[in-house]
């Protein structure tokens, strides 16, 4: 039975409740034991659709005339549309945590992407309906929604299979809405006609960067953000069509919502996460009950519009009400079912929203807000108050004029902050060990406790309003990095760091610039100094591990990757990197264990298969290596390293047609994989095609001017052509970018010797020995030194 009794003013609870949230809650919710309740209550199912980064005012049914969203518009016409629904945070993970728990972030303790995990003690909507006999499944489209962050609690199936992006920040991993819908529809076809179900579908596409597929890329060429939304609209239609085709529409509640909006330049914010204006916290909310369900007998009619405030934390209580199920015991939201029956009624709700990203990512002040139907108060170093009725664009700050209203809303917000302080320390962070914390707490870089963070005064940090121009410039620098222009990015980043020296993201990107330039010592120095300030940032820790690996400081790299994996055993490529370290420590058995562990955690990892093939090749297990490399290519046809590895393998048997074919495929898959150009050049040289080899090597250093091996190869060609002086120039460039390559020193010495410069030759050979004392090049260099000194002695 629907609980439609209306109540008066609903404010945020005065008390904080019991902060010990792990006791007496989760076990029952996650048991999966059916009570038979769902069947006895009519067996309605639930389809919950979340469109990431979707501004409602960019949907046709919300009055936007510059887009075509017919399927979402149809859903609104067949259901109830909420004109002003608000998210708890303009950030994917904390917002979805609120959606699935009906709790605010200060309660569920998830404050940002990637460095938090929803606590095991949290009770989710999926867990709650599962104990009522529901079958549960989720299909998500981006990295911030992966199961490691805790949103999978209560789902029988949580499908977070994403592309494996080797060497790329996992934040960028996503899949198109079409693939998400394919998986969800297939699940419906197999499971939808049995027990009542809860199906959660998350589309990520409208998130920056905007890259809609055709025909939407052409139709919305000047507005790619709209093109992304228009594309997702069709996939929403595929889901609702599946309900119709399978005869499920008449017993399924459909809810469409989002996690946050997008700035699109308003208030100076291009994307989201910094401010709490409606541009980034207002979300779509459309609820379509079954047309002939129990709600229709209570007076509900399709096509209604609710103008009063609704909140993200109200969505789970509402659907439970519509399903006829008991409410979540710790829900801070309430059912909106009364508004479905009478859209003109206002429940006079009060809403809380926050964003900690400005603080944790950029070193600025976090923002918190309290919102009513008319007013919004934002706590920042310079407070803000807006009359949302008279000023929906939030352009006129009334903080100095409406002092009584500000005082009243500030008091409500201060109560929430008090609760936050009481519960501080309850975050389920991707935590650091005590040993790692001790290492990080170097003089001048002491980490702050969660309690200290919660107690900080906002005025002690910069107001994001005063830094938003820096953010735009920062994103420009990030674009330069992604375009492979680290020098230009570094110039801009260093300027930004002078203006905003406390900004950790800017400093990390400076480290990334050095890394892309091959200046690994400088990169490591930057990462090492930032880690104490961001001890929970696993991407930063992984970047430092990669720097140490490149520097040959293998024992230190091993410790970093072991620490990383102890904090997140599913960290993408963590076991691959650790396995590479083990190979360099001449321990192929340990390396294989790491690669196989990566495959256990990520069964579709082309990187792990390619790495495993490398071990098998070293052992002489030729056929097994070929199968592993080909499996990597099956999983990802554009995985260039596997093609290169196959080329290397066929070189051993001098099957030159295959060698050349695979190196060409590697270049085709990744035109910037300069190592493949180098290997193909060597193969061309062996076949007497020196002009082709020269062209390939020249292409390699054109694509990557810091590619030392390319200059080395050019120097070798020049020396073989009897031009040692020109060869020396190329060798010296190679050593500028890789000063520890003993092969280059060996050949540099030979070029000097060709010119009769014996002293210079000996110095180069001595450098070869110092660079890699146990290498074959060092052995040859020692013989050359002995021979040269013998000759010099004879001359004397």
């Amino acid at each position: 039975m629907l609980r439609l009794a209306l109540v008066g003013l609903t404010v945020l609870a005065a008390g904080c409740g019991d902060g010990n949230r792990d006791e007496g809650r989760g076990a029952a919710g996650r048991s999966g034991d059916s009570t038979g309740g769902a069947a006895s209550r009519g067996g309605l199912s639930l389809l919950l659709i979340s469109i990431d980064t979707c501004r409602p005012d960019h949907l046709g049914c919300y009055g936007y005339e510059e887009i075509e969203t017919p399927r979402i518009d149809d859903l609104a016409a067949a259901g109830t549309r909420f004109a002003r629904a608000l998210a708890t945070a303009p950030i994917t993970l904390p917002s979805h945590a609120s959606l699935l728990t009906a709790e605010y972030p200060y309660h569920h303790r998830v404050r940002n992407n990637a460095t938090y995990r929803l606590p095991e003690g949290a009770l989710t909507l999926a867990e709650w309906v599962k104990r009522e006999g529901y079958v549960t499944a989720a299909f998500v489209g981006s990295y911030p929604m992966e199961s490691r962050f805790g949103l999978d609690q209560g789902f029988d199936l949580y499908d977070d299979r994403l592309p494996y992006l080797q060497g790329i920040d996992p934040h960028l991993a996503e899949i198109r809405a079409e693939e998400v819908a394919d998986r969800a529809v297939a699940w419906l076809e197999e499971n939808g006609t049995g027990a009542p179900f809860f199906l959660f579908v998350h589309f990520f596409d409208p998130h920056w960067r905007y890259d809609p597929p055709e025909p939407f890329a052409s139709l919305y060429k000047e507005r790619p953000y709209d093109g992304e939304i228009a594309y997702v609209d069709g996939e929403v239609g595929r889901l609702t069509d599946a309900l119709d085709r399978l005869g499920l529409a008449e017993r399924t509640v459909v809810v469409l919502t989002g996690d946050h909006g997008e700035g699109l330049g308003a208030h100076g914010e291009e994307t989201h996460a910094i401010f709490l204006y409606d541009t980034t916290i207002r979300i779509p909310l459309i609820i379509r009950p079954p047309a002939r369900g129990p709600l229709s007998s209570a007076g509900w009619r399709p096509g209604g519009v609710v103008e009063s405030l609704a909140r993200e934390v109200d969505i789970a209580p509402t659907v439970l009400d519509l399903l006829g199920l008991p409410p979540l015991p710790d829900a801070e939201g309430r059912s909106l079912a009364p508004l479905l029956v009478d859209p003109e009624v206002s429940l006079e709700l009060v809403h809380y929203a926050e964003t900690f990203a400005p603080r944790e990512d950029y070193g600025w002040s976090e923002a918190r807000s309290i919102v009513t139907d008319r007013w919004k108060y934002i706590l920042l170093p310079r407070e803000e108050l807006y009359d949302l009725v008279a000023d929906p664009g939030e352009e006129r700050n009334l903080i100095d004029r409406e002092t009584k209203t500000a005082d009243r809303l500030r008091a409500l917000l201060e109560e929430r902050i008090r609760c936050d302080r009481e519960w501080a320390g309850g975050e389920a962070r991707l935590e650091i060990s005590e040993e790692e914390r001790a290492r990080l707490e170097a003089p001048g870089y002491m980490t702050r406790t969660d309690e200290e963070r919660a107690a900080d005064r906002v005025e002690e940090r910069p107001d994001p309003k005063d830094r938003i121009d820096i953010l735009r410039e920062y994103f420009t620098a990030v674009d330069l990095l992604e375009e492979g222009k680290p020098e230009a990015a570094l110039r801009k980043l260093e300027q930004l760091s002078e203006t905003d020296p406390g900004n950790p993201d800017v400093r990390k990107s400076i480290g990334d610039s050095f890394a892309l330039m091959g200046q690994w010592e400088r990169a490591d120095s930057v990462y090492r100094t930032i880690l104490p300030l961001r001890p929970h940032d696993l991407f930063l820790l992984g970047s430092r591990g990669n720097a140490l690996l490149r520097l040959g400081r293998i024992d230190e790299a091993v410790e970093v990757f072991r620490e990383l994996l102890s904090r997140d055993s599913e960290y993408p490529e963590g076991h691959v990197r650790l396995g590479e370290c083990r190979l360099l420590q001449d321990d192929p058995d340990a390396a294989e264990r790491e690669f196989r562990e990566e495959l256990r955690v990520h069964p579709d990892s082309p990187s792990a298969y390619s790495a495993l093939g490398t071990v098998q090749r070293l052992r002489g297990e030729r056929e097994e290596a070929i199968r592993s490399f080909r499996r990597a290519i099956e999983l990802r046809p554009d995985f260039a390293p596997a093609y290169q590895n196959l080329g290397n393998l066929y070189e051993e048997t001098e099957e030159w047609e295959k060698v050349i074919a695979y190196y060409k495929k590697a270049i085709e898959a990744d035109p910037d994989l300069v190592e493949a150009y180098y290997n193909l050049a060597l193969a061309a040289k062996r076949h007497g095609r020196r002009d082709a080899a020269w062209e390939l090597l020249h292409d390699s250093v054109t694509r990557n001017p810091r590619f030392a091996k390319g200059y080395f190869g050019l120097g070798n060609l020049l020396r073989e052509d009897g031009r040692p002086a020109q060869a020396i120039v190329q060798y010296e460039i190679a050593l500028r970018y890789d000063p520890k390559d003993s092969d280059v020193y060996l050949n540099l010495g030979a070029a000097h010797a060709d010119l009769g410069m014996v002293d210079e030759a000996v110095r180069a050979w001595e450098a070869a020995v110092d660079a890699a004392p146990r290498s074959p090049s060092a052995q040859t260099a020692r013989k050359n030194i002995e021979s040269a000194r013998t000759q010099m002695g004879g001359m004397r």
Side-chain angles (χ1 to χ4, degrees):
M1 178 179 295
L2 294 172
R3 297 175 289 282
L4 300 179
L6 303 183
V7 298
L9 176 65
T10 301
V11 299
L12 296 170
C16 294
D18 183 3
N20 184 7
R21 303 175 51 72
D22 287 340
E23 296 182 5
R25 308 179 55 231
R30 279 189 300 280
S31 68
D33 295 334
S34 172
T35 65
S40 65
R41 295 178 177 92
L44 294 180
S45 293
L46 170 64
L47 169 61
L48 174 59
I49 304 168
S50 173
I51 305 178
D52 210 293
T53 324
C54 182
R55 279 178 58 155
D57 60 354
H58 279 247
L59 295 171
C61 57
Y62 280 83
Y64 187 52
E65 297 180 354
E66 302 300 317
I67 197 170
E68 293 185 5
T69 52
R71 305 311 304 270
I72 296 175
D73 298 349
D74 288 346
L75 194 64
T80 297
R81 176 173 64 84
F82 289 78
R84 190 156 175 269
L86 300 181
T88 63
I91 308 170
T92 297
L93 181 60
S95 180
H96 279 99
S98 291
L99 174 66
L100 294 174
T101 64
E103 297 173 359
Y104 286 107
Y106 58 76
H107 207 169
H108 60 59
R109 310 309 292 170
V110 178
R111 319 308 280 266
N112 205 346
N113 284 339
T115 57
Y116 291 82
R117 177 183 173 85
L118 185 67
E120 290 295 324
L123 182 59
T124 68
L125 177 62
E127 291 173 300
W128 196 241
V129 300
K130 183 175 173 61
R131 70 189 294 270
E132 296 287 337
Y134 276 65
V135 178
T136 57
F139 298 87
V140 302
S142 71
Y143 177 79
M145 298 289 290
E146 282 197 340
S147 59
R148 72 182 55 145
F149 304 121
L151 298 185
D152 62 331
Q153 297 178 68
F155 286 103
D156 299 314
L157 170 65
Y158 194 89
D159 190 327
D160 57 355
R161 290 172 291 162
L162 301 174
Y164 209 82
L165 303 181
Q166 184 193 38
I168 298 177
D169 188 335
H171 271 114
L172 302 177
E174 64 172 293
I175 54 176
R176 291 277 196 195
E178 180 179 2
E179 186 170 350
V180 176
D182 283 345
R183 298 174 183 179
V185 169
W187 184 89
L188 270 177
E189 291 172 344
E190 185 174 348
N191 300 278
T193 56
F197 62 82
F198 168 29
L199 174 60
F200 172 54
V201 180
H202 165 254
F203 295 124
F204 190 68
D205 300 74
H207 196 283
W208 181 84
R209 301 176 183 267
Y210 317 127
D211 181 30
E214 293 292 355
F216 305 96
S218 297
L219 291 172
Y220 297 91
K221 186 175 182 180
E222 303 302 321
R223 304 191 318 280
Y225 172 72
D226 289 350
E228 294 268 33
I229 294 174
Y231 161 60
V232 171
D233 176 78
E235 302 309 313
V236 170
R238 289 182 59 211
L239 292 175
T240 56
D241 286 347
L243 293 179
D244 291 336
R245 185 178 71 254
L246 298 169
L248 301 172
E250 293 302 312
R251 62 178 184 89
T252 302
V253 176
V254 179
V255 178
L256 182 141
T257 188
D259 59 344
H260 54 74
E262 191 79 316
L264 301 179
H267 303 281
E269 184 173 22
E270 296 296 333
T271 55
H272 55 272
I274 303 302
F275 294 135
L276 296 176
Y277 304 115
D278 273 12
T279 49
T280 58
I281 65 167
R282 187 177 168 219
I283 56 177
L285 178 56
I286 297 168
I287 299 176
R288 189 191 77 179
R292 289 191 291 274
L295 194 64
S296 59
S297 61
W300 172 78
R301 295 293 179 269
V305 178
V306 176
E307 299 289 347
S308 59
L309 177 65
R311 307 168 301 180
E312 186 176 41
V313 293
D314 299 324
I315 295 174
T318 302
V319 299
L320 288 172
D321 202 348
L322 297 178
L323 296 173
L325 300 180
L328 285 163
D330 289 335
E332 293 178 279
R334 58 165 299 179
S335 174
L336 301 173
L339 301 179
L340 298 176
V341 175
D342 186 356
E344 300 300 320
V345 171
S346 172
L347 302 182
E348 299 185 56
L349 301 174
V350 175
H351 180 59
Y352 168 89
E354 67 171 40
T355 175
F356 274 39
R359 177 184 193 132
E360 297 188 350
D361 296 345
Y362 306 112
W364 308 332
S365 172
E366 74 273 19
R368 305 181 192 243
S369 68
I370 287 288
V371 190
T372 68
D373 275 324
R374 178 176 177 182
W375 297 100
K376 179 186 289 184
Y377 168 77
I378 303 174
L379 178 61
L380 280 168
R382 297 199 314 282
E383 299 168 284
E384 301 172 48
L385 179 70
Y386 298 102
D387 183 339
L388 300 172
V389 175
D391 178 26
E394 299 167 275
E395 300 290 344
R396 297 185 295 277
N397 185 2
L398 304 179
I399 194 69
D400 295 326
R401 292 176 53 186
E402 299 287 344
T403 56
K404 289 184 178 179
T405 299
D407 289 344
R408 177 172 61 88
L409 297 179
R410 187 186 298 110
L412 288 174
L413 183 56
E414 287 173 349
E415 178 60 28
R416 295 305 94 203
I417 295 174
R418 183 182 69 81
C419 292
D420 196 354
R421 289 172 179 167
E422 287 187 14
W423 290 329
E427 286 88 345
R429 302 296 293 266
L430 297 176
E431 199 45 85
I432 61 177
S433 69
E434 289 304 316
E435 292 79 8
E436 180 69 4
R437 183 180 291 278
R439 287 197 296 270
L440 293 175
E441 289 180 342
Y445 294 105
M446 292 291 290
T447 57
R448 299 173 60 80
T449 66
D450 294 322
E451 291 83 354
E452 289 169 332
R453 278 190 309 111
D456 267 354
R457 296 167 61 86
V458 294
E459 57 265 30
E460 293 176 355
R461 292 178 177 266
D463 192 313
K465 296 190 289 292
D466 300 326
R467 295 290 194 269
I468 196 64
D469 290 342
I470 288 176
L471 191 61
R472 287 198 295 271
E473 290 297 310
Y474 172 66
F475 284 154
T476 300
V478 171
D479 287 343
L480 290 170
L481 280 177
E482 294 182 1
E483 292 166 8
K485 301 174 182 176
E487 293 91 347
L490 181 61
R491 288 192 294 271
K492 184 174 287 291
L493 289 164
E494 288 179 334
Q495 292 172 356
L496 292 175
S497 187
E498 290 179 6
T499 305
D500 194 17
N503 191 319
D505 255 28
V506 169
R507 291 168 63 186
K508 179 185 182 300
S509 294
I510 288 175
D512 294 341
S513 300
F514 287 135
L516 284 174
M517 294 163 64
Q519 298 181 26
W520 294 103
E521 288 281 5
R522 300 180 73 180
D524 176 59
S525 177
V526 173
Y527 297 146
R528 188 175 65 252
T529 58
I530 303 173
L531 267 169
L533 306 179
R534 298 177 65 169
H536 301 287
D537 188 338
L538 298 191
F539 302 127
L540 177 58
L541 187 61
S543 295
R544 180 158 194 243
N546 289 333
L548 292 169
L549 181 57
R550 291 298 191 106
L551 287 168
R553 292 158 60 182
I554 306 304
D555 291 344
E556 293 176 78
V558 166
E559 290 304 311
V560 168
F561 288 123
R562 286 177 61 188
E563 176 67 30
L564 187 154
L565 289 166
S566 74
R567 291 155 60 179
D568 182 1
S569 62
E570 298 181 12
Y571 186 87
E573 292 204 349
H575 289 286
V576 172
R577 295 286 88 80
L578 186 53
E580 290 171 349
C581 291
R582 297 307 189 192
L583 273 181
L584 291 170
Q585 291 176 326
D586 198 24
D587 191 347
D589 292 340
E592 180 179 0
R593 286 195 295 272
E594 295 298 338
F595 300 147
R596 291 194 182 280
E597 179 62 16
E598 185 82 21
L599 288 171
R600 186 189 69 79
V601 178
H602 301 288
D604 295 333
S605 166
S607 181
Y609 273 109
S610 187
L612 179 61
T614 300
V615 173
Q616 293 164 334
R617 176 189 165 202
L618 289 173
R619 288 175 171 160
E621 299 169 354
R622 179 181 176 81
E623 294 305 317
E624 291 85 346
I626 291 173
R627 283 195 292 271
S628 293
F629 294 142
R630 287 180 174 170
R631 177 57 179 155
I633 293 168
E634 289 173 7
L635 289 167
R636 184 172 162 187
D638 65 345
F639 192 69
Y643 290 113
Q644 175 163 281
N645 285 335
L646 280 167
N648 293 338
L649 188 148
Y650 284 111
E651 273 198 56
E652 296 172 355
T653 53
E654 298 185 353
E655 298 178 65
W656 296 112
E657 288 187 6
K658 290 182 178 179
V659 169
I660 292 171
Y662 279 118
Y663 286 147
K664 285 183 176 179
K665 286 183 178 180
I667 292 171
E668 181 182 345
D670 182 1
D672 292 325
L673 185 62
V674 289
E675 292 83 359
Y677 290 82
Y678 177 79
N679 289 335
L680 186 56
L682 294 184
K685 190 171 77 167
R686 289 190 184 98
H687 281 67
R689 300 173 56 198
R690 297 178 66 82
D691 289 344
W694 179 270
E695 184 177 347
L696 286 162
L697 291 168
H698 186 268
D699 285 348
S700 75
V701 297
T702 299
R703 288 191 172 273
N704 182 359
R706 297 170 299 280
F707 180 49
K709 280 293 186 186
Y711 297 108
F712 175 59
L714 290 169
N716 291 340
L717 285 175
L718 289 165
R719 180 170 172 265
E720 292 163 6
D721 288 343
R723 293 185 282 176
Q726 293 95 324
I728 288 171
V729 173
Q730 298 300 319
Y731 292 145
E732 288 178 342
I733 296 174
L735 289 170
R736 185 188 311 162
Y737 296 116
D738 188 358
K740 296 186 177 182
D741 192 325
S742 61
D743 291 342
V744 181
Y745 285 114
L746 178 66
N747 287 14
L748 174 62
H752 281 303
D754 290 342
L755 293 170
M757 304 166 65
V758 180
D759 288 339
E760 289 83 352
V762 169
R763 282 195 290 272
W765 291 329
E766 288 174 340
V769 174
D770 291 340
R774 291 180 291 180
S775 68
S777 292
Q779 295 176 13
T780 303
R782 290 188 185 96
K783 293 178 181 178
N784 290 347
I785 293 169
E786 182 179 353
S787 176
R789 286 175 175 165
T790 299
Q791 292 178 16
M792 292 169 68
M795 292 173 63
R796 292 191 183 94

Short mmCIF file of all heavy atoms in Angstrom, two decimals, residues 488-508:
data_model
loop_
_atom_site.label_atom_id
_atom_site.label_comp_id
_atom_site.label_asym_id
_atom_site.label_seq_id
_atom_site.Cartn_x
_atom_site.Cartn_y
_atom_site.Cartn_z
N ALA A 488 55.21 22.22 -23.97
CA ALA A 488 54.25 23.33 -23.94
C ALA A 488 53.39 23.25 -22.69
O ALA A 488 53.08 24.26 -22.05
CB ALA A 488 53.39 23.31 -25.19
N ALA A 489 52.98 22.01 -22.32
CA ALA A 489 52.17 21.84 -21.11
C ALA A 489 52.96 22.28 -19.88
O ALA A 489 52.43 22.96 -19.00
CB ALA A 489 51.74 20.38 -20.96
N LEU A 490 54.23 21.91 -19.83
CA LEU A 490 55.05 22.24 -18.66
C LEU A 490 55.19 23.74 -18.48
O LEU A 490 55.12 24.24 -17.35
CB LEU A 490 56.43 21.59 -18.80
CG LEU A 490 57.40 21.80 -17.64
CD1 LEU A 490 56.83 21.22 -16.35
CD2 LEU A 490 58.75 21.17 -17.96
N ARG A 491 55.37 24.46 -19.56
CA ARG A 491 55.48 25.93 -19.45
C ARG A 491 54.22 26.52 -18.82
O ARG A 491 54.28 27.36 -17.92
CB ARG A 491 55.73 26.54 -20.83
CG ARG A 491 57.12 26.28 -21.37
CD ARG A 491 57.42 27.15 -22.57
NE ARG A 491 56.58 26.82 -23.71
CZ ARG A 491 56.89 25.92 -24.63
NH1 ARG A 491 58.02 25.24 -24.54
NH2 ARG A 491 56.07 25.69 -25.66
N LYS A 492 53.08 26.06 -19.27
CA LYS A 492 51.82 26.58 -18.74
C LYS A 492 51.62 26.14 -17.29
O LYS A 492 51.20 26.92 -16.43
CB LYS A 492 50.65 26.11 -19.62
CG LYS A 492 49.30 26.68 -19.21
CD LYS A 492 48.23 26.28 -20.20
CE LYS A 492 48.39 27.05 -21.50
NZ LYS A 492 48.08 28.50 -21.33
N LEU A 493 51.94 24.89 -16.99
CA LEU A 493 51.75 24.37 -15.63
C LEU A 493 52.66 25.08 -14.63
O LEU A 493 52.25 25.36 -13.50
CB LEU A 493 52.02 22.87 -15.62
CG LEU A 493 50.97 22.00 -16.32
CD1 LEU A 493 51.52 20.60 -16.58
CD2 LEU A 493 49.68 21.92 -15.50
N GLU A 494 53.88 25.36 -15.02
CA GLU A 494 54.79 26.06 -14.09
C GLU A 494 54.30 27.46 -13.81
O GLU A 494 54.44 27.97 -12.69
CB GLU A 494 56.21 26.05 -14.67
CG GLU A 494 56.86 24.66 -14.59
CD GLU A 494 58.24 24.61 -15.17
OE1 GLU A 494 58.55 25.46 -16.06
OE2 GLU A 494 59.04 23.74 -14.77
N GLN A 495 53.71 28.11 -14.81
CA GLN A 495 53.11 29.43 -14.57
C GLN A 495 51.94 29.32 -13.59
O GLN A 495 51.81 30.14 -12.68
CB GLN A 495 52.64 30.04 -15.89
CG GLN A 495 53.77 30.41 -16.84
CD GLN A 495 53.26 30.83 -18.21
OE1 GLN A 495 52.05 30.78 -18.49
NE2 GLN A 495 54.17 31.22 -19.08
N LEU A 496 51.11 28.29 -13.78
CA LEU A 496 49.97 28.10 -12.88
C LEU A 496 50.44 27.79 -11.47
O LEU A 496 49.84 28.24 -10.49
CB LEU A 496 49.08 26.96 -13.40
CG LEU A 496 48.33 27.22 -14.71
CD1 LEU A 496 47.59 25.97 -15.15
CD2 LEU A 496 47.36 28.38 -14.55
N SER A 497 51.52 27.01 -11.34
CA SER A 497 52.02 26.66 -10.02
C SER A 497 52.54 27.89 -9.28
O SER A 497 52.44 27.97 -8.06
CB SER A 497 53.13 25.61 -10.15
OG SER A 497 53.51 25.13 -8.88
N GLU A 498 53.11 28.84 -10.00
CA GLU A 498 53.54 30.09 -9.36
C GLU A 498 52.34 30.86 -8.83
O GLU A 498 52.40 31.47 -7.76
CB GLU A 498 54.33 30.93 -10.35
CG GLU A 498 55.69 30.35 -10.70
CD GLU A 498 56.42 31.22 -11.72
OE1 GLU A 498 55.90 32.31 -12.04
OE2 GLU A 498 57.49 30.81 -12.19
N THR A 499 51.23 30.85 -9.59
CA THR A 499 50.03 31.57 -9.17
C THR A 499 49.30 30.86 -8.05
O THR A 499 48.75 31.50 -7.15
CB THR A 499 49.08 31.73 -10.38
OG1 THR A 499 49.78 32.37 -11.45
CG2 THR A 499 47.86 32.56 -10.01
N ASP A 500 49.29 29.52 -8.11
CA ASP A 500 48.53 28.72 -7.15
C ASP A 500 49.44 27.60 -6.61
O ASP A 500 49.26 26.43 -6.93
CB ASP A 500 47.30 28.13 -7.86
CG ASP A 500 46.28 27.55 -6.90
OD1 ASP A 500 46.33 27.88 -5.71
OD2 ASP A 500 45.41 26.77 -7.35
N PRO A 501 50.41 27.95 -5.77
CA PRO A 501 51.43 26.98 -5.37
C PRO A 501 50.91 25.81 -4.55
O PRO A 501 51.58 24.78 -4.46
CB PRO A 501 52.42 27.83 -4.55
CG PRO A 501 51.63 29.00 -4.09
CD PRO A 501 50.64 29.28 -5.18
N GLY A 502 49.73 25.93 -3.95
CA GLY A 502 49.20 24.85 -3.14
C GLY A 502 48.33 23.88 -3.89
O GLY A 502 47.66 23.04 -3.28
N ASN A 503 48.34 23.94 -5.22
CA ASN A 503 47.45 23.12 -6.05
C ASN A 503 48.12 21.79 -6.38
O ASN A 503 49.01 21.72 -7.23
CB ASN A 503 47.11 23.87 -7.34
CG ASN A 503 46.00 23.23 -8.13
OD1 ASN A 503 45.94 22.01 -8.24
ND2 ASN A 503 45.12 24.03 -8.68
N PRO A 504 47.70 20.68 -5.74
CA PRO A 504 48.38 19.40 -5.97
C PRO A 504 48.16 18.84 -7.37
O PRO A 504 49.03 18.16 -7.90
CB PRO A 504 47.80 18.48 -4.90
CG PRO A 504 46.50 19.11 -4.52
CD PRO A 504 46.66 20.58 -4.70
N ASP A 505 46.99 19.09 -7.98
CA ASP A 505 46.76 18.56 -9.33
C ASP A 505 47.71 19.20 -10.33
O ASP A 505 48.20 18.53 -11.24
CB ASP A 505 45.30 18.80 -9.74
CG ASP A 505 44.48 17.53 -9.67
OD1 ASP A 505 44.83 16.66 -8.84
OD2 ASP A 505 43.51 17.39 -10.42
N VAL A 506 47.94 20.50 -10.19
CA VAL A 506 48.87 21.18 -11.08
C VAL A 506 50.26 20.59 -10.91
O VAL A 506 50.96 20.29 -11.88
CB VAL A 506 48.88 22.69 -10.81
CG1 VAL A 506 50.04 23.37 -11.54
CG2 VAL A 506 47.56 23.32 -11.26
N ARG A 507 50.66 20.37 -9.67
CA ARG A 507 52.00 19.83 -9.42
C ARG A 507 52.13 18.40 -9.95
O ARG A 507 53.17 18.03 -10.49
CB ARG A 507 52.30 19.89 -7.92
CG ARG A 507 52.48 21.33 -7.44
CD ARG A 507 52.50 21.43 -5.93
NE ARG A 507 53.62 20.71 -5.35
CZ ARG A 507 53.79 20.54 -4.03
NH1 ARG A 507 52.89 21.05 -3.20
NH2 ARG A 507 54.83 19.90 -3.57
N LYS A 508 51.06 17.60 -9.77
CA LYS A 508 51.13 16.23 -10.32
C LYS A 508 51.29 16.27 -11.83
O LYS A 508 52.06 15.49 -12.40
CB LYS A 508 49.87 15.45 -9.96
CG LYS A 508 49.89 14.03 -10.54
CD LYS A 508 48.60 13.29 -10.29
CE LYS A 508 48.68 11.85 -10.84
NZ LYS A 508 48.91 11.82 -12.30
#
